[in-house]
Amino acid sequence: MLPALHCPAVHTAESLAREISQWRADGHTIGFVPTMGALHEGHIALVLKAMEVCDRVVVSIFVNPTQFAAHEDLGTYPRTLEADSALLAAAGCHLLYAPSVEEVYPDGFATTVSVEGPAIGLESDARPHFFAGVASVVARLFGQVRPDIAVFGEKDYQQLMVVRRMVSDLALPVTVLGVETKREADGLALSSRNVYLSPAERMRAGRLNVILRDLAHALEDGEPAARALEHARILAASVFDAVDYIEVRDADRLEIVGEGPLARPARVLAAVRVGKTRLIDNVPANPARRG
Amino acid sequence: MLPALHCPAVHTAESLAREISQWRADGHTIGFVPTMGALHEGHIALVLKAMEVCDRVVVSIFVNPTQFAAHEDLGTYPRTLEADSALLAAAGCHLLYAPSVEEVYPDGFATTVSVEGPAIGLESDARPHFFAGVASVVARLFGQVRPDIAVFGEKDYQQLMVVRRMVSDLALPVTVLGVETKREADGLALSSRNVYLSPAERMRAGRLNVILRDLAHALEDGEPAARALEHARILAASVFDAVDYIEVRDADRLEIVGEGPLARPARVLAAVRVGKTRLIDNVPANPARRG
C-alpha cells in the first residue's frame, strides 16, 4: 500500500504570506477555496475549478467559531485533517492553510463585517449571527491570502451572495466564482453534516432536492409562486421533522419575489430538519423555460 | 491676480481606478488621505506627510452620511470644494477623489464594518454609530484607492486607533500613519468645525488643550490618574458648557488604565461643548518623564 499523500501545509499567516509573495514574484495568479474541512467531492470540485482558472491554489481549513451559535455543533463538527490533506494532494492543490483559532483571532481582534441585503432572512432567521461570522472570517482570510479568484459552492447559495455583496461593497480585489452543487444519486446535496444522518434519515434526506426541483419546475411552467410554494411546504412538512423555510427569492439579490408567476431568474431555497440534522439546499428557477 | 489652482479631480471609482492602474503600471507607490473636505492646515500636514513617503498622493473629499447621527450637522457641515481643490493643488497633491453619495453607496450597498476594542466608549458614548460609519467608509475607500500608505490625523486619535485595528483585523495591505495635531497659537486643535465658534466661544475653546496638557504633565510627574482626572474634570466643567468626557486610556489599545500613577504610555482624551459646538482633543502622557 502506498503511503497517503499530503498537501504542503502552513499554519500561520506569516508562513502563508511567504509562499504567496514567492508566487506573486513568479507572476502566478492565485486561487483560494475557504473551507471548514471534512472535505468531500463537493469541495474538491471547488478546488478543481480554482486550479482551472489560477496558476496556484490555496485551500484553507478553519472551523470558524464565530459562525456557530452556542447550541450548534462547533464541538462535534467533523475534523478530518489527515484525510483532507490527502484529498487535496490528490487533487493537486498547491497549499493548505490550516490556522489555529488564535492565529485567525489574535488577542485584541475586534472587527466584524456584517451584511444586510442578501443576508436578511432564510438562514439568518435560524442563525442570526451566522453571516456576520462568515463575512468577517472570509474578509480576514481574503486579506491574508490575497487571491485573484475565490471559489465558493452554490450549495450555500445565500452565503455565496453575501460574500459577493461584501466583496463589491468593500471593493476587494478578488473575483468570486460559484460552483454548482455536487449531489448523491438521489439528489441529496453533498455536505459535511450528512455524516450525522442515520440510514433511515438518509433515505428521507434525499426527498429535499426532489421537492425543490418539482417546485422549480412548477415555477418555470408559469405556476404562481404562492400556490407552488404552498404545495411544496405541505409536502415537505409531511416528510421532514421540521421545515425552517422554503422560499423563492430573486436569484441575484435574494429579494423576495411576488406571489404570481416568476418575472425574473429566481432561486428556490430551503432548510429542513431530519432528526437532529439540519439540511439546506437550493436550485435555480428561470422564467425563460415557459412557453 | 493669478487664477486659483485646481487639483486634478475624479468623481467616480471607475475614473479613479484608471488613474491608480496607470500609476501602478509606472511603478509608483500610492499614498491616501481620506477627508471630509473643509480643508485646513491640519489636513495639508497629512497630505505633505503622504507626499514625503509615497510617489503619488490621492486625497478623498466625501462628507460621509453614515457617520453622522440624525441630530448632527450633516446638512450644515462646511462644504468648500473649490477652496479645497486650490489648497490641494498648492500642496502638490496628485489627485482629488470627490465621489457622490451614490458613488460610495450604490443601490444595494449592504455592508457594515464595525470595530469593538478601541471603538468602545469615548466618542462612541455620544455617537454610538460613528465608528461603524467611519470604519465602513474607510474600508470601502481603501478598496477603491488601494493605497500603500494611508495618513490620518492624531486629532481624531480614537478614529486612528479604530482604523489601525480594522486594517490589522482584515489584514488589509495598507500601512496607517498618524500625524501630530496642528494647533492654533493658544493650543486649540485645528478642526473644520472651529468655524462654528463665535469670538467669545473661540476664546474659551483654547482652554481645552491647556487643561489636557496640564493633566498629562501631572500624570507624567507621577500623580495618580484618579486624582489628576478629578482635578481636570472640575476645571473643565467650570470653563465649558458640557464635558462629554475627559479620560486617560492606554495609548495603543485605548484600554482603561488604573487609578494610580501611569504604568504605560497613555493618551489623555476629551470632548467638551462650547455653545452648540462639540470640540475634541487629545495629548500623549508617558510615564518615562518621571524621576
Side-chain angles (χ1 to χ4, degrees):
Chain A
M1 195 179 134
L2 290 170
L5 288 166
H6 280 91
C7 182
V10 291
H11 302 279
T12 66
E14 201 185 327
S15 314
L16 174 69
R18 268 197 300 272
E19 298 285 336
I20 299 280
S21 302
Q22 187 56 56
W23 290 344
R24 288 288 176 206
D26 294 343
H28 293 311
T29 57
I30 295 170
F32 177 44
V33 183
T35 82
M36 299 211 301
L39 302 183
H40 50 64
E41 203 188 323
H43 298 102
I44 298 307
L46 309 183
V47 176
L48 295 177
K49 167 55 76 177
M51 295 190 56
E52 191 184 310
V53 292
C54 289
D55 301 323
R56 292 291 178 273
V57 171
V58 181
V59 172
S60 65
I61 293 183
F62 178 62
V63 182
N64 176 34
T66 71
Q67 69 193 65
F68 288 79
H71 63 276
E72 290 180 343
D73 57 346
L74 173 63
T76 57
Y77 195 87
R79 285 162 172 87
T80 58
L81 194 59
E82 287 291 301
D84 292 346
S85 177
L87 274 176
L88 292 174
C93 171
H94 301 93
L95 189 66
L96 164 59
Y97 176 42
S100 65
V101 172
E102 294 69 30
E103 187 69 20
V104 176
Y105 302 115
D107 183 38
F109 186 94
T111 302
T112 301
V113 179
S114 46
V115 179
E116 304 206 342
I120 295 173
L122 305 173
E123 286 302 291
S124 292
D125 288 339
R127 315 177 77 187
H129 305 293
F130 177 67
F131 286 118
V134 168
S136 302
V137 80
V138 167
R140 181 159 170 83
L141 291 172
F142 280 2
Q144 293 183 337
V145 176
R146 299 189 190 159
D148 298 286
I149 294 176
V151 184
F152 290 80
E154 288 187 349
K155 160 72 162 37
D156 298 289
Y157 191 83
Q158 191 179 12
Q159 169 179 280
L160 172 62
M161 294 299 115
V162 167
V163 170
R164 278 196 205 282
R165 185 78 250 170
M166 174 191 75
V167 163
S168 169
D169 289 351
L170 301 185
L172 299 179
V174 53
T175 299
V176 175
L177 291 186
V179 169
E180 209 177 319
T181 305
K182 288 279 167 186
R183 302 182 179 283
E184 305 283 1
D186 63 349
L188 177 67
L190 298 195
S191 163
S192 304
R193 288 187 170 102
N194 290 352
V195 300
Y196 299 151
L197 297 167
S198 72
E201 289 170 346
R202 171 65 192 79
M203 293 278 287
R204 281 197 289 154
R207 296 289 301 279
L208 178 58
N209 185 245
V210 176
I211 292 171
L212 293 186
R213 272 186 290 145
D214 288 348
L215 170 52
H217 287 152
L219 293 167
E220 293 185 335
D221 287 338
E223 200 174 311
R227 198 171 66 196
L229 267 173
E230 192 192 358
H231 180 74
R233 283 172 180 151
I234 290 170
L235 198 58
S238 76
V239 175
F240 302 111
D241 298 308
V243 178
D244 281 4
Y245 62 83
I246 299 184
E247 290 197 42
V248 183
R249 294 288 188 101
D250 171 81
D252 177 28
R253 290 201 181 175
L254 290 184
E255 286 161 355
I256 292 167
V257 302
E259 300 198 337
L262 286 190
R264 288 176 303 173
R267 201 88 189 177
V268 173
L269 308 100
V272 301
R273 312 227 179 207
V274 182
K276 290 180 175 172
T277 305
R278 190 166 179 277
L279 301 173
I280 65 173
D281 198 1
N282 66 87
V283 300
N286 293 304
R289 204 184 145 215
R290 264 188 294 161
Chain B
M1 196 178 131
L2 291 170
L5 289 165
H6 281 92
C7 183
V10 290
H11 302 278
T12 66
E14 202 184 327
S15 314
L16 174 70
R18 268 197 301 270
E19 298 285 336
I20 299 280
S21 301
Q22 188 55 57
W23 290 345
R24 287 289 176 206
D26 294 341
H28 293 311
T29 57
I30 295 170
F32 177 46
V33 183
T35 81
M36 299 210 303
L39 303 182
H40 50 64
E41 203 188 321
H43 297 103
I44 298 306
L46 309 183
V47 176
L48 295 177
K49 168 55 79 176
M51 296 190 56
E52 190 185 311
V53 293
C54 289
D55 302 322
R56 292 291 178 273
V57 171
V58 181
V59 172
S60 65
I61 293 184
F62 178 62
V63 182
N64 176 34
T66 71
Q67 69 194 64
F68 288 78
H71 64 278
E72 290 180 344
D73 58 348
L74 173 62
T76 57
Y77 195 86
R79 286 164 172 87
T80 58
L81 194 60
E82 287 292 301
D84 293 346
S85 178
L87 274 176
L88 292 174
C93 172
H94 302 92
L95 189 66
L96 164 59
Y97 176 43
S100 66
V101 171
E102 294 70 29
E103 187 70 21
V104 176
Y105 301 115
D107 182 39
F109 186 94
T111 301
T112 302
V113 179
S114 46
V115 179
E116 303 207 341
I120 296 173
L122 304 172
E123 286 302 291
S124 292
D125 288 339
R127 315 179 75 187
H129 305 294
F130 177 68
F131 286 117
V134 169
S136 302
V137 80
V138 168
R140 180 157 171 83
L141 292 172
F142 280 3
Q144 293 184 337
V145 177
R146 300 192 189 156
D148 299 286
I149 294 176
V151 184
F152 290 80
E154 288 187 350
K155 159 72 163 36
D156 297 289
Y157 191 84
Q158 190 179 13
Q159 170 178 280
L160 172 62
M161 295 299 114
V162 168
V163 170
R164 278 196 205 283
R165 184 78 251 170
M166 176 192 74
V167 163
S168 168
D169 289 351
L170 300 186
L172 300 178
V174 54
T175 299
V176 175
L177 291 186
V179 168
E180 210 178 317
T181 304
K182 289 277 167 190
R183 301 182 181 282
E184 306 283 2
D186 65 349
L188 178 67
L190 298 195
S191 164
S192 305
R193 289 187 170 102
N194 290 351
V195 299
Y196 299 151
L197 297 167
S198 72
E201 289 170 346
R202 171 65 191 81
M203 293 277 287
R204 281 197 288 154
R207 297 288 302 280
L208 178 59
N209 185 244
V210 176
I211 292 171
L212 293 187
R213 272 186 289 145
D214 288 349
L215 170 53
H217 288 151
L219 293 167
E220 293 186 334
D221 287 340
E223 200 174 311
R227 201 172 64 197
L229 267 173
E230 192 192 356
H231 179 72
R233 285 172 179 152
I234 290 169
L235 197 57
S238 76
V239 175
F240 302 110
D241 298 308
V243 178
D244 281 4
Y245 62 82
I246 300 184
E247 289 198 42
V248 183
R249 294 288 188 101
D250 170 81
D252 176 29
R253 290 202 181 174
L254 289 185
E255 286 161 354
I256 291 167
V257 302
E259 299 198 338
L262 285 190
R264 290 175 303 174
R267 202 87 188 178
V268 173
L269 306 102
V272 300
R273 311 227 179 208
V274 181
K276 288 181 175 172
T277 306
R278 190 167 179 276
L279 302 173
I280 64 171
D281 198 1
N282 66 86
V283 299
N286 292 305
R289 203 184 145 213
R290 264 186 295 162

